[in-house]
Amino acid sequence: MSFPWANEYKPTNPLMQWVDDRLPLPRFVYNAVGAGYPVPRNLNYMWNFGILAGFALVLQIVTGVVLAMHYAANAGVAFDSVEHIMRDVNWGWMLRYGHANGASMFFIVVYTHIFRGFFYSSYKAPREMIWLLGVVIFLLMMATAFMGYVLPWGQMSFWGAKVITGLFSAIPLVGTPLQQWLLGGFAPDNAALNRFFSLHFLLPFVILGVIILHVWALHIPGSSNPTGVEVKQESDTVPFHPYYTAKDGFGLGIFLMVYCALVFFAPNLLGHPDNYIPANPLSTPAHIVPEWYFWPFYAILRAFTSDFLFIPAKLMGVLAMFSAILVWFFLPWLDTSPVRSGHYRPLFRKFFYLLVVDVLVLGYCGGAPAAEPYVMISQIAAMYYFLHFLVILPVVSSIETPQPLPFSITEAVLGKDEHATLAPATPAVA
Amino acid sequence: MVRLFGPLVGLFFAVALLWSFGNGAYNAVTQPSPPTAEALFHKHPKEVAFSFDGAFGTFDKAQLQRGFKVYQEVCSNCHSLKQVAFRDLTQLGYNEAEVKAIAKNWGNKAQTFDPKTGDRGDRPNLPSDHFPPVYYAGQGNPPDLSLVAKSRHGGAQYIHSLLTGYTDQVGYKNGQGQELLKMFPDAKTPDGLYFNPYFANLNLAMPQPLTSDGQVTYSDGKAATVDQMALDVSAFLTWTAEPKLDKRKQTGWPVLGFLLAATVLAYLAKRNVWADKH
């Protein structure tokens, strides 16, 4: 599963030799993230975000496991147990702020990772499986983050749970019984809180499992790169270690500085004040909003304000919100241009930047009150969102004339490649 | 298949959105919704500076002690502070004997229950007790104040504005010179509620708590004007909501300093490793 010129693991330490003979785990790591994995030499900083997302997950698991030692998943005491963590547990405030802001950082890096994939068409053959698994990871992250936000049992926890589980009630016939079955009651209460806690603890490990598949699938064709031209020869690659471990180390430093600035100096910047009010089923907040990372999809949900062809507006909104993510599964087959990188696709590039602006507008509208002009703006933006993926992308793929690609990665980096006219492409050996 | 059905699905959602948009636009033109009294007359908190603002700000213990006195003599008649324990007051600079005395002399006593006899009673508070609940017989339901500074937009500034923002509703005008009761005669504050433009819906059940200068006697000689008392109690309630604020910022600077140094080294290491590859 690598290129023929990949370094081979040759342990010199007798202990490592002994281990490698019996369980080739050191060899596995060496080939996965060590000197045994040849990586295109031209990756830019957008390729740091996969490692950062993995780091963010580990951060969430470590802080989360310790928080779970002090948290009580009972509707009567959950809110107070969080305050107990904030006040009486040694460094509890740092753990909790670290976990809450860690979730935000996780989504920031994952959104960047996804949009990197959009721009460089990282989903195209032969990397479709990596992309599909990535979308699965994103869906699992959304479920995990939603259930985690319910645990402090503040006002937004309660009403967020009520709204999101209420989405299932839009399904015809089985909707309401399904919602009650999911909640274990007619409204969010102790049963819901307990199962959300259980699932919130479980799902990160499921995510970890899918990440292992994601990285495994990545190592079959190897990493893509900013030119989109496949690796052809040894001079196109460098070993992962030390080249990309060094580069990722620097990226990690920047990530940690942003993260720590949030945790220590603006820990509540991305949260909602209402979640410091204990859950109260009798008092509905003026504006129920989810966490910021759900805002674009929340805007799509709320954009459907009229029944359409006998389909109730609520059901349309729910279908659209889920479709907005599910459409990513079909990207490898919607975008049929043979050229991967947006650098060589002038028309595609314009629409890509439009999509970035569009999603930011949707995000802004999703966080705003459900009133005009935000609803009408989000209707236009949601319209573009669906047209972009399902209509514009296939059309652009077929009418666009891409710019000429470099012969190889080596040529892209050094400006010349002496093999350019001589050597045939070296196929990757699976 | 995907290329056949994809555009159809996309057009389906787009047309549905266009339909919603059209209906919304039609309604906006035919039945424009008039602005509400809240939208026109609700005021954002006044800009005031606190010692704990910004990345370097810390609590002013003298101010917290004054704010605690305001809470003790005014707010605590109706509002509880259940997340805070008497022992936490040592963080305001009180010594253990003082905290013991404050707990012992606190008006509301700790509730007791004897499981052998079933007798209920009370006893003086101990430093390890949290502030006791307040049972309020009047109108409304006074919220617990432990986290109020974090659970309202604007935090301490909002509390200060609310406490000093009570005003006469008759003749009240906003910044644009519009008069509330002329535009919205129905928005007259009902009996039992009090008008305050800093409150979300302009009327709240709490009567003006800080009414006159000198209402609380400060022991540090600071003049107890209404504005000063409001500032002090806002600072105190920021402390009750975020008692670890000082510790958090103190920890943050060395952490960021270390990370900056580590990141510079990581950058130099990266340049060194890549020197022959560019």
Side-chain angles (χ1 to χ4, degrees):
Chain A
M1 65 181 233
S2 187
F3 300 108
W5 57 84
N7 295 324
E8 202 202 332
Y9 182 64
K10 293 193 198 79
T12 46
N13 185 313
L15 176 66
M16 296 308 276
Q17 240 161 7
W18 186 89
V19 173
D20 191 56
D21 288 343
R22 283 150 186 84
L23 177 74
L25 185 63
R27 181 175 301 270
F28 181 77
V29 172
Y30 182 90
N31 290 335
V33 289
Y37 178 42
V39 187
R41 63 190 290 178
N42 60 336
L43 302 190
N44 59 34
Y45 279 104
M46 295 306 288
W47 266 260
N48 279 43
F49 287 84
I51 290 280
L52 293 181
F55 182 83
L57 177 72
V58 173
L59 198 68
Q60 289 303 85
I61 290 179
V62 170
T63 52
V65 165
V66 183
L67 284 170
M69 297 173 188
H70 301 280
Y71 169 78
N74 177 298
V77 295
F79 186 89
D80 290 344
S81 79
V82 171
E83 279 307 309
H84 159 73
I85 290 170
M86 292 295 288
R87 290 156 196 269
D88 297 331
V89 173
N90 292 332
W91 298 96
W93 57 270
M94 193 168 80
L95 284 170
R96 174 166 175 260
Y97 280 153
H99 196 69
N101 287 291
S104 284
M105 292 301 291
F106 198 178
F107 274 95
I108 289 171
V109 296
V110 163
Y111 276 127
T112 314
H113 195 55
I114 291 171
F115 275 80
R116 193 284 316 265
F118 287 156
F119 184 82
Y120 293 104
S121 307
S122 303
Y123 42 77
K124 280 183 188 164
R127 296 187 180 80
E128 300 98 319
M129 188 55 83
I130 312 171
W131 176 259
L132 299 178
L133 290 166
V135 180
V136 170
I137 292 169
F138 182 69
L139 288 169
L140 287 168
M141 274 177 68
M142 293 184 86
T144 310
F146 158 65
M147 287 190 261
Y149 193 53
V150 176
L151 303 185
W153 209 237
Q155 273 289 67
M156 283 298 165
S157 302
F158 178 90
W159 290 97
K162 189 152 171 125
V163 169
I164 300 299
T165 57
L167 299 181
F168 292 93
S169 72
I171 302 169
L173 300 176
V174 295
T176 306
L178 180 64
Q179 183 199 3
Q180 287 168 3
W181 178 73
L182 287 171
L183 282 174
F186 300 105
D189 205 341
N190 207 36
L193 181 59
N194 264 292
R195 65 189 57 181
F196 282 9
F197 180 52
S198 170
L199 292 172
H200 184 70
F201 206 113
L202 169 72
L203 287 184
F205 297 96
V206 178
I207 293 177
L208 193 62
V210 184
I211 286 177
I212 290 171
L213 299 182
H214 187 68
V215 175
W216 185 8
L218 170 71
H219 280 69
I220 303 301
S223 301
S224 73
N225 70 84
T227 64
V229 175
E230 285 294 336
V231 169
K232 293 179 170 161
Q233 54 197 337
E234 187 169 0
S235 66
D236 289 347
T237 66
V238 290
F240 188 87
H241 179 73
Y243 289 95
Y244 285 107
T245 41
K247 196 167 179 175
D248 286 333
F250 173 55
L252 189 61
I254 302 284
F255 168 89
L256 283 173
M257 283 205 285
V258 175
Y259 170 64
C260 288
L262 275 176
V263 169
F264 291 103
F265 298 105
N268 293 306
L269 179 71
L270 301 169
H272 196 291
D274 275 19
N275 227 27
Y276 282 110
I277 303 172
N280 181 354
L282 300 178
S283 158
T284 314
H287 305 297
I288 301 174
V289 284
E291 290 276 75
W292 69 266
Y293 34 78
F294 293 137
W295 286 354
F297 304 103
Y298 196 55
I300 291 175
L301 171 76
R302 294 192 304 186
F304 292 82
T305 49
S306 301
D307 296 354
F308 181 67
L309 302 175
F310 310 105
I311 306 172
K314 185 178 171 186
L315 180 58
M316 278 304 296
V318 173
L319 286 174
M321 187 181 74
F322 285 111
S323 304
I325 301 168
L326 296 182
V327 67
W328 296 353
F329 279 119
F330 298 97
L331 263 185
W333 299 279
L334 287 166
D335 178 2
T336 50
S337 169
V339 174
R340 294 197 183 92
S341 171
H343 285 309
Y344 305 101
R345 301 182 62 190
L347 191 57
F348 166 86
R349 198 161 62 223
K350 290 194 184 82
F351 285 109
F352 167 80
Y353 287 121
L354 199 54
L355 178 74
V356 174
V357 174
D358 185 67
V359 171
L360 291 175
V361 168
L362 278 173
Y364 182 79
C365 291
E372 300 302 353
Y374 305 114
V375 175
M376 283 161 92
I377 296 172
S378 56
Q379 282 160 345
I380 302 287
M383 215 181 303
Y384 178 75
Y385 183 93
F386 285 108
L387 291 178
H388 176 92
F389 286 111
L390 293 163
V391 178
I392 294 171
L393 218 46
V395 171
V396 165
S397 308
S398 47
I399 64 169
E400 177 180 57
T401 315
Q403 287 160 344
L405 296 171
F407 167 76
S408 68
I409 294 169
T410 307
E411 189 188 282
V413 175
L414 301 179
K416 63 174 169 39
D417 180 354
E418 54 259 32
H419 294 104
T421 51
L422 300 173
T426 311
V429 178
Chain B
M1 285 287 274
V2 172
R3 302 207 76 200
L4 183 67
F5 286 108
L8 291 177
V9 172
L11 288 171
F12 172 73
F13 282 125
V15 171
L17 282 161
L18 201 60
W19 177 247
S20 287
F21 179 83
N23 280 333
Y26 178 77
N27 286 337
V29 172
T30 54
Q31 310 153 4
S33 49
T36 59
E38 288 95 331
L40 289 177
F41 291 91
H42 175 247
K43 285 170 87 170
H44 288 286
K46 288 178 267 194
E47 297 278 336
V48 281
F50 285 97
S51 66
F52 47 80
D53 290 342
F56 292 100
T58 55
F59 285 126
D60 170 359
K61 281 188 184 170
Q63 182 177 41
L64 296 187
Q65 291 198 5
R66 293 196 300 271
F68 170 62
K69 202 147 191 233
V70 177
Y71 170 74
Q72 184 177 19
E73 294 186 18
V74 184
C75 318
S76 73
N77 290 314
C78 308
H79 293 280
S80 56
L81 206 57
K82 68 172 186 172
Q83 305 291 353
V84 183
F86 287 101
R87 61 179 152 80
D88 296 333
L89 293 174
T90 52
Q91 295 166 30
L92 304 192
Y94 295 109
N95 62 36
E96 283 191 26
E98 286 169 322
V99 169
K100 251 184 193 163
I102 290 169
K104 195 177 161 199
N105 299 328
W106 196 256
N108 274 332
K109 300 299 168 198
Q111 309 289 309
T112 60
F113 174 71
D114 186 340
K116 267 189 172 168
T117 61
D119 289 339
R120 288 173 196 279
D122 54 31
R123 60 163 172 77
N125 291 288
L126 297 170
S128 57
D129 287 326
H130 281 223
F131 280 80
V134 177
Y135 298 100
Y136 180 77
Q139 188 189 354
N141 189 14
D144 183 86
L145 292 186
S146 315
L147 285 161
V148 75
K150 282 204 286 192
S151 63
R152 300 290 185 278
H153 285 287
Q157 291 189 349
Y158 168 77
I159 299 169
H160 168 259
S161 293
L162 190 80
L163 292 175
T164 55
Y166 286 87
T167 181
D168 197 355
Q169 194 188 22
V170 178
Y172 177 75
K173 289 178 182 163
N174 66 7
Q176 282 83 49
Q178 296 162 313
E179 191 171 333
L180 173 60
L181 288 181
K182 281 215 177 109
M183 284 183 80
F184 300 97
D186 293 344
K188 194 170 158 23
T189 301
D191 282 345
L193 295 183
Y194 302 87
F195 178 71
N196 190 326
Y198 294 99
F199 194 68
N201 66 11
L202 309 179
N203 302 305
L204 76 165
M206 176 170 75
Q208 186 173 356
L210 300 172
T211 49
S212 57
D213 293 352
Q215 189 175 347
V216 175
T217 312
Y218 283 156
S219 47
D220 63 354
K222 191 95 179 172
T225 61
V226 167
D227 194 64
Q228 186 64 42
M229 290 187 288
L231 283 173
D232 292 345
V233 81
S234 305
F236 172 72
L237 291 174
T238 304
W239 172 79
T240 63
E242 186 80 357
K244 301 291 162 74
L245 181 144
D246 284 353
K247 173 95 172 164
R248 168 159 66 74
K249 292 179 189 172
Q250 276 163 19
T251 313
W253 286 112
V255 168
L256 278 189
F258 169 80
L259 284 174
L260 184 65
T263 306
V264 169
L265 287 178
Y267 177 69
L268 295 174
K270 183 250 160 192
R271 279 225 334 201
N272 199 13
V273 166
W274 279 87
D276 62 335
K277 288 291 174 188
H278 283 300

